[in-house]
Amino acid sequence: MSDATIPGEPMIAVSALRKSFGQNVVLHDVSLDVPQGGVTALIGPSGSGKSTLLRCINLLERPDGGSLRVDRTVLDFDRVGRKSALPARALAEIRAEAGMVFQSFNLFPHMSVIENVASGPIYVRRIPRATAMERARALLDRVGLAHRADASPAMLSGGQKQRVAIARALAMDPRIMLFDEATSALDPALVGEVLSIMRTLADDGMTMIVVTHEMAFARDVADEVVFMADGYVVERGAARQVIEAPNEARTKEFLRHFHLGASA
Amino acid sequence: MHYHWDFAQIWHYAPLFRTGIEYTLGFTLVSMLCGMALGLVLALARRTGFRPLTLPLGLFAEIFRCTPALVQLVWFYYALPVLLGISLSPATAALMALSIYGGVFYAEIFLSGLANIEPGQWDAGRALGMTPAVLMLRIILPQALRRMRGPLVSQGVLQLKNTSLVSVVTVPDLVYQGQLVASATYRPLEVYSTIAVIYFCLLFPLTQAARLLDRGVA
Ligand SMILES: Nc1ncnc2c1ncn2[C@@H]1O[C@H](COP(=O)(O)OP(=O)(O)O)[C@@H](O)[C@H]1O
Ligand SMILES: [Mg+2]
């Protein structure tokens, strides 16, 4: 895997990224680096801009300024005029390299579970259907859902849906994975099965940014924790240090609301 | 009330009714297809939010939504050729009017169908790297069409009934043929009763099938 990366450079480099919705400035010059194989947990109160940052990284939202690099693909939003279209090639490359998992799963309800997983390879990579389905089955096996391959997503539990969504993202062979509160919509009893898959991915060396309210998971699985509030990065550091002994008052205040148990 | 109903004479004109049915169904089908194609283009254009495009198209749509189909039909047949210095056959004028009239309503149906798809579906497709065309074709439209089936059937029913208007520009649809038979037989009551029954027989199975389909999937 390391052959395609730039030696010594982080896998994800976000630099002075700015984003507003109308008058509302949501990201103020946010910078963030994740080394290859690194796991960064992004924490912070609701409305602090965590989702917007993730969405900017795979260009579901268009940043207003700053620059972004994912693996070898660089986009400088100060140079691309605000009105002109982003270079299609860079956009496609970044989207293909970044897998994203949403809080609300967003499975395609008109396709079976296995068709969901194979949809990217078939419709984006134009891989022959039979090959794509075979690979999709292997991925479903990896998330423990091979036996549900032909079910409709509507028949699955929330935890199963999210595992399918992870398999769907992995089917594109992404170099990074972005998780946006992947377990927040789940019954507490189903959180563990999703976290354990995320932990396995991290152990296998996937580069990940994980927006989460599971502080034990952030502490135990992430390398670095970044605390955001009101569109600013307030504090960042080694996971255990930020979660257990934060420096900033706002971080302390925020973390007071969480009881740390054992992670999944 | 001593009217003596006599349908026997009408039977002799069965071939005329047959032609009428063919024209009615043909005009319905073609104007539906053209209307849906136009409606899809209108809807997608309006979704771009690009004002130089959406403003004129919005105005265009409102003009056709807020004037009667009969007036449009007559206008296309008599006024448009004068304006453009061309000649239009009755059938062409009628098809254009019916297609556009239907098209602006199809556009509304498509727009609300698309608006009903959760934003997360777009996000998921785009995050996988789908191009806008693939995303629309493989993810959004299949879901939207399923939800639009009810309104589309209603519009199809209206579309079929609206074809009766083409008789005013001498297109030989069911109503026009009926007028011929009525003037030949002096039996307008029987003729129009027959026509009403034929329309009903064409449309009733359609609305029932749609209802069954809806129940099957819902
Ligand atoms: N599409 C949007 N349009 C307008 N405002 C938005 C949009 N998405 C997010 N926001 C605003 O941006 C701010 C940050 O939101 P978000 O990134 O979702 O925060 P978080 O994920 O940390 O809860 C909020 O004030 C939210 O209202
Ligand atoms: Mg969020």
Side-chain angles (χ1 to χ4, degrees), chain A residues 86-168:
Chain A
L86 293 176
R89 175 129 182 231
L91 190 116
E93 274 169 11
I94 288 190
R95 291 254 177 86
E97 286 177 358
M100 181 141 184
V101 175
F102 304 88
Q103 178 175 345
S104 49
F105 324 126
N106 300 343
L107 294 181
F108 304 134
H110 59 299
M111 299 179 184
S112 69
V113 161
I114 191 165
E115 285 169 342
N116 264 275
V117 177
S119 61
I122 292 175
Y123 298 129
V124 179
R125 297 221 193 279
R126 311 269 173 201
I127 286 174
R129 189 178 172 85
T131 317
M133 293 295 254
E134 200 173 307
R135 286 212 50 221
R137 205 169 290 277
L139 279 165
L140 280 176
D141 197 33
R142 197 163 143 197
V143 298
L145 286 172
H147 62 296
R148 303 297 271 149
D150 298 312
S152 154
M155 308 299 291
L156 303 185
S157 73
Q160 292 176 327
K161 283 181 189 166
Q162 198 58 298
R163 284 147 67 193
V164 174
I166 293 172
R168 179 176 66 178

Side-chain angles (χ1 to χ4, degrees), chain A:
Chain A
M1 256 203 183
S2 54
D3 55 344
T5 54
I6 308 171
E9 290 289 320
M11 180 71 112
I12 305 171
V14 173
S15 171
L17 210 68
R18 293 190 306 282
K19 175 71 185 171
S20 309
F21 291 109
Q23 298 295 310
N24 183 12
V25 183
V26 177
L27 298 177
H28 301 263
D29 292 341
V30 170
S31 298
L32 183 80
D33 285 350
V34 186
Q36 182 180 7
V39 177
T40 294
L42 197 52
I43 63 172
S46 161
S48 55
K50 307 180 297 295
S51 296
T52 304
L53 178 56
L54 280 200
R55 294 170 62 84
C56 282
I57 292 175
N58 74 350
L59 302 170
L60 289 181
E61 302 289 350
R62 179 176 180 161
D64 299 328
S67 69
L68 170 67
R69 188 168 60 69
V70 175
D71 198 3
R72 289 171 173 245
T73 312
V74 182
L75 273 174
D76 185 336
F77 302 102
D78 297 317
R79 280 229 308 257
V80 190
R82 279 179 76 146
K83 290 261 168 172
S84 51
L86 293 176
R89 175 129 182 231
L91 190 116
E93 274 169 11
I94 288 190
R95 291 254 177 86
E97 286 177 358
M100 181 141 184
V101 175
F102 304 88
Q103 178 175 345
S104 49
F105 324 126
N106 300 343
L107 294 181
F108 304 134
H110 59 299
M111 299 179 184
S112 69
V113 161
I114 191 165
E115 285 169 342
N116 264 275
V117 177
S119 61
I122 292 175
Y123 298 129
V124 179
R125 297 221 193 279
R126 311 269 173 201
I127 286 174
R129 189 178 172 85
T131 317
M133 293 295 254
E134 200 173 307
R135 286 212 50 221
R137 205 169 290 277
L139 279 165
L140 280 176
D141 197 33
R142 197 163 143 197
V143 298
L145 286 172
H147 62 296
R148 303 297 271 149
D150 298 312
S152 154
M155 308 299 291
L156 303 185
S157 73
Q160 292 176 327
K161 283 181 189 166
Q162 198 58 298
R163 284 147 67 193
V164 174
I166 293 172
R168 179 176 66 178
L170 291 175
M172 291 295 287
D173 280 325
R175 304 196 53 100
I176 70 172
M177 284 287 282
L178 309 171
F179 291 88
D180 192 0
E181 300 202 32
T183 59
S184 294
L186 300 179
D187 284 348
L190 303 178
V191 168
E193 62 190 63
V194 173
L195 289 184
S196 85
I197 285 171
M198 291 166 63
R199 178 192 277 263
T200 308
L201 262 182
D203 292 345
D204 289 348
M206 179 65 78
T207 307
M208 314 196 333
I209 301 182
V210 181
V211 172
T212 186
H213 292 301
E214 300 289 332
M215 294 307 151
F217 180 84
R219 178 194 60 197
D220 299 340
V221 178
D223 305 300
E224 190 179 50
V225 168
V226 172
F227 173 69
M228 278 182 71
D230 300 330
Y232 293 93
V233 171
V234 174
E235 178 166 3
R236 59 158 22 109
R240 186 164 291 275
Q241 177 257 306
V242 175
I243 300 284
E244 289 182 347
N247 292 319
E248 302 291 328
R250 289 204 66 171
T251 320
K252 286 179 190 156
E253 165 62 24
F254 173 74
L255 286 169
R256 223 191 332 264
H257 302 295
F258 294 91
H259 301 279
L260 285 174
S263 67

Side-chain angles (χ1 to χ4, degrees), chain B residues 6 12 39 49 79-80 88 103 136 142 144 183 203:
Chain B
D6 176 12
H12 297 145
L80 191 64
L88 285 180
M136 185 52 77
S183 56
L203 285 174

